[in-house]
Amino acid sequence: MNICFYDNREITPDENGNVSIDRVYCLEFHDFKDVTWQHLGEVYRSLPQYIVKDNACPMWYGEEEGSAVYLYASVEPSGLQIVGDLSAEQWEMWERMFHRQLSRYDFPSFEC
C-alpha cells in the first residue's frame, strides 16, 4: 500500500550530510478504528531507535529539545506529520522501514 505524502520543506542534505524533515503522510484519521490505532502503534514500535515515553508523541533517536538528532510523529488534521533532524542515511533507513511497516496494514488515506 502506497500512502500519499508531501513535504512542507524540501529534504536536501546539508554540507554535513544532515537533513531536516517535515513530511505529512495523508492518513485519514477520521476513519481510524481502535484496531487501526493499534496497528499504527505497532508500526511506531517496530521502527529503529523508538523511544518509549508516557504521554508524549511517538519519537525516535532523541527528543527535539534535547538532542541534535531526533524524529517524532504528530497526528494532525492534514495527516501524520513526521518532523526531525537526522543524517541523510538515518532518514533513508527509517523511511524505508516506515513504508515497509505501513504496507503491512490497510490504513485509511486520501490523495494529497
Side-chain angles (χ1 to χ4, degrees):
M1 163 183 227
N2 289 328
I3 294 177
C4 182
F5 64 85
Y6 62 90
D7 293 319
N8 286 319
R9 66 175 163 243
E10 187 176 342
I11 300 175
T12 306
D14 66 14
E15 62 278 353
N16 297 315
N18 297 319
V19 292
S20 290
I21 314 303
D22 189 350
R23 176 167 285 178
V24 177
Y25 288 87
C26 299
L27 295 177
E28 184 60 77
F29 294 118
H30 297 295
D31 293 339
F32 271 42
K33 298 180 178 1
D34 287 344
V35 69
T36 317
W37 288 109
Q38 290 171 4
H39 290 159
L40 187 57
E42 290 172 19
V43 169
Y44 291 157
R45 290 185 296 277
S46 71
L47 297 168
Q49 302 296 316
Y50 179 67
I51 298 170
V52 178
K53 282 195 99 158
D54 291 336
N55 302 316
C57 289
M59 64 182 89
W60 301 267
Y61 299 101
E63 294 185 63
E64 181 178 19
E65 299 299 319
S67 177
V69 177
Y70 67 93
L71 195 66
Y72 69 85
S74 178
V75 172
E76 303 294 338
S78 56
L80 183 67
Q81 186 175 23
I82 306 293
V83 175
D85 288 319
L86 300 172
S87 72
E89 183 179 316
Q90 287 170 315
W91 167 243
E92 290 165 6
M93 179 189 66
W94 188 94
E95 183 190 29
R96 271 193 312 275
M97 292 184 73
F98 182 62
H99 284 251
R100 189 176 320 129
Q101 293 302 320
L102 279 181
S103 70
R104 294 177 51 212
Y105 303 102
D106 188 22
F107 289 107
S109 63
F110 58 92
E111 291 297 317
C112 44

